[in-house]
Amino acid sequence: TLGHPRTPRAGMATVMAKQARIHASTRTCRTIARRGNVRARAEPKRVQAATTATPVEWDQVAEKLDEASPLEIIDYALQTFGDEVAIAFSGAEDVAVIEYAHLTGRPFRVFSLDTGRLNPETYRLFDKVEKRYGIHIEYMFPDTAETEELVRTKGMFSFYEDGHQECCRIRKVRPLRRALRGLSAWITGQRKDQSPGTRAAVPVVQVDPVFDGKDGPGTLVKFNPVSNVTSAETWAFLRTMDVPVNELHSQGYDSIGCEPCTRPVLPNQHEREGRWWWEDATAKECGLHSGNVMDSAVDGAKEEAGDLYTSSNVEEVSKDEMEKMATSGADVSTMAVIYAPWCQFCQGLEPAYEEIAAQLQGTGVRVAKFRGDTERDFVAERFQLQTFPRIVFFPKAGAKEFVTYPSDRRDVENLMAFVKALE
């Protein structure tokens, strides 16, 4: 069902007036709406994604819109695709995208995935959003037979034992595919800062690399209008515009999904750490033997991968020295990373590891590295290593036990706290 704002299409003066209030309220909101003086346009032009979604054209559009405000990007999406584009709403802070759509004054559609496992607070937000904007959210539900088979075979909480992928595939991914097959474009609330390393390259518009649209593979256009907006800027906008938000946010939930797979986060934890927390350690590491499955196809890539942690502040240590430090302690307190150059997570660690090495110069703590993929049996036996990277701290001689860094948050601040706690 096409969702319509409660009021008729607003004049551009109204839109600009609302933006002016954003500008006057906070500096953050000025950043969000800095380019938001949308000009009057003709009625939405209907275009077929199949005739426009060529990689070159949409790459050019993405480049032009990269500095645009979310309001401009959403207005462009709604003007271009009309009722063949819809907003994906999860029931969290992505309600900001709906507010932006409302500010354009154009009709817009909203759909949401009702997995059957959402929190009551999320359902209450759905109701508030429908009433505030005078729309009907298009709910997508999982296939009944598939869901029954999963639960009857594996129980209600199988994802705690064998991972969330199967449950998500049935309850989220397949319903999403059904929704998108009826569209030429969709609008998400993805932000680059939500999950550094996996969402850091989210463009504001792209041809969807995963899902198909109504005109087949390679034709679905995906808009990420808040890609360049931070969490702080998003919340400043929501407060300024008095937008209804999920009650769970006030209870420590930064990222909200299904009830069994979402929990509050502690101060200074990243917002995505509240999702699928029991999988985080493996989800952010490379398996000890994952290189084996690549031997035939990626041997060349492994050879091409240059070494890591090449800063002069990081010392390469030998197998014999690693053995000595593990059994007898170190001559000087040493933090060492056990790594594989081809592992994307080891590569992602490099900037932070070299930075902390620089900061620890002259403190009496040595920062070292040991390549573990060439000594798999040794690191597995001596350090119980199953995944790369592994960071260990060897206290100076006299304290024989090495300590393994326990967290998957491998940033400078947390690594430094780890060193200070042991030094």
Side-chain angles (χ1 to χ4, degrees):
T1 305
L2 182 62
H4 296 273
R6 285 187 178 277
T7 59
R9 173 172 173 76
M12 287 301 106
T14 302
V15 175
M16 293 175 65
K18 291 181 178 179
Q19 284 189 283
R21 290 198 294 273
I22 301 175
H23 281 250
S25 178
T26 64
R27 181 181 299 274
T28 302
C29 288
R30 285 199 297 272
T31 301
I32 296 175
R34 64 188 180 278
R35 296 177 180 267
N37 57 336
V38 183
R39 298 185 301 274
R41 294 178 172 89
E43 283 305 305
K45 176 183 177 182
R46 303 293 189 263
V47 298
Q48 294 297 320
T51 65
T52 61
T54 61
V56 174
E57 289 181 5
W58 288 106
D59 285 348
Q60 293 173 356
V61 172
E63 184 176 353
K64 292 178 180 178
L65 292 178
D66 191 58
E67 294 297 321
S69 70
L71 181 62
E72 283 183 300
I73 297 169
I74 293 175
D75 188 75
Y76 175 89
L78 296 177
Q79 181 195 35
T80 303
F81 289 99
D83 61 3
E84 293 183 0
V85 61
I87 298 168
F89 178 42
S90 70
E93 78 277 8
D94 54 353
V95 68
V97 177
I98 299 177
E99 176 68 15
Y100 280 120
H102 173 68
L103 289 177
T104 70
R106 300 184 187 276
F108 59 90
R109 297 170 61 184
V110 178
F111 74 90
S112 188
L113 308 177
D114 186 348
T115 64
R117 304 297 294 270
L118 302 179
N119 290 277
E121 292 86 350
T122 300
Y123 290 113
R124 287 198 288 270
L125 177 61
F126 287 157
D127 181 64
K128 292 176 183 177
V129 166
E130 288 187 322
K131 291 176 179 177
R132 174 184 173 95
Y133 299 105
I135 62 174
H136 294 290
I137 297 174
E138 302 169 27
Y139 298 101
M140 302 299 298
F141 300 92
D143 180 82
T144 301
E146 286 185 327
T147 307
E148 288 177 350
E149 177 67 19
L150 172 65
V151 175
R152 290 174 179 175
T153 302
K154 294 189 172 183
M156 295 292 288
F157 301 99
S158 59
F159 36 81
Y160 290 140
E161 299 176 4
D162 58 12
H164 72 277
Q165 288 79 8
E166 183 179 20
C167 185
C168 282
R169 185 167 57 250
I170 292 173
R171 294 180 182 272
K172 292 174 59 177
V173 178
R174 289 175 181 166
L176 176 59
R177 287 190 185 278
R178 292 202 315 270
L180 297 179
R181 287 194 185 113
L183 299 171
S184 294
W186 64 310
I187 304 172
T188 82
Q190 283 187 303
R191 302 192 320 271
K192 290 177 181 176
D193 70 344
Q194 285 176 319
S195 187
T198 59
R199 297 189 179 186
V202 177
V204 295
V205 61
Q206 64 187 136
V207 176
D208 198 303
V210 177
F211 297 104
D212 301 338
K214 62 183 297 185
D215 295 301
T219 67
L220 182 68
V221 178
K222 182 179 181 182
F223 290 89
N224 307 299
V226 293
S227 172
N228 297 321
V229 179
T230 66
S231 176
E233 290 170 336
T234 299
W235 278 99
F237 175 74
L238 293 173
R239 287 191 294 268
T240 299
M241 304 306 291
D242 195 26
V243 177
V245 297
N246 198 311
E247 299 163 31
L248 292 173
H249 288 304
S250 63
Q251 301 173 33
Y253 290 77
D254 283 352
S255 180
I256 300 172
C258 291
E259 186 276 333
C261 302
T262 305
R263 68 177 182 181
V265 294
L266 298 173
N268 295 318
Q269 275 191 299
H270 192 274
E271 63 184 78
R272 298 294 290 184
E273 291 189 64
R275 303 285 293 278
W276 307 303
W277 60 91
W278 65 94
E279 296 179 1
D280 276 355
T282 55
K284 297 182 181 179
E285 297 173 332
C286 295
L288 177 61
H289 298 289
S290 62
N292 293 345
V293 300
M294 302 188 296
D295 286 346
S296 61
V298 191
D299 271 348
K302 290 169 67 177
E303 291 174 3
E304 292 175 8
D307 198 16
L308 301 177
Y309 321 115
T310 57
S311 165
S312 60
N313 297 321
V314 180
E315 181 180 341
E316 185 172 5
V317 295
S318 66
K319 176 182 175 181
D320 289 342
E321 187 168 4
M322 289 289 285
E323 174 73 22
K324 177 180 178 296
M325 290 191 295
T327 56
S328 304
D331 294 333
V332 59
S333 296
T334 301
M335 179 172 67
V337 59
I338 304 172
Y339 72 102
W342 45 263
C343 171
Q344 60 178 315
F345 302 107
C346 295
Q347 295 167 8
L349 171 64
E350 187 173 29
Y353 199 72
E354 291 190 345
E355 172 64 23
I356 196 171
Q359 293 188 19
L360 288 172
Q361 281 293 295
T363 65
V365 176
R366 179 176 63 160
V367 179
K369 66 177 183 178
F370 177 74
R371 181 165 178 173
D373 63 329
T374 59
E375 297 287 351
R376 297 173 188 265
D377 292 339
F378 168 66
V379 295
E381 179 180 356
R382 174 58 66 191
F383 299 98
Q384 295 77 51
L385 187 146
Q386 295 296 322
T387 58
F388 297 112
R390 172 69 61 86
I391 298 173
V392 293
F393 188 88
F394 302 97
K396 57 188 175 183
K400 296 184 179 181
E401 292 294 327
F402 65 86
V403 181
T404 300
Y405 183 66
S407 174
D408 56 18
R409 288 183 57 81
R410 306 183 190 102
D411 56 88
V412 174
E413 182 180 0
N414 282 280
L415 289 172
M416 185 62 77
F418 174 66
V419 171
K420 289 182 177 180
L422 300 173
E423 176 57 8

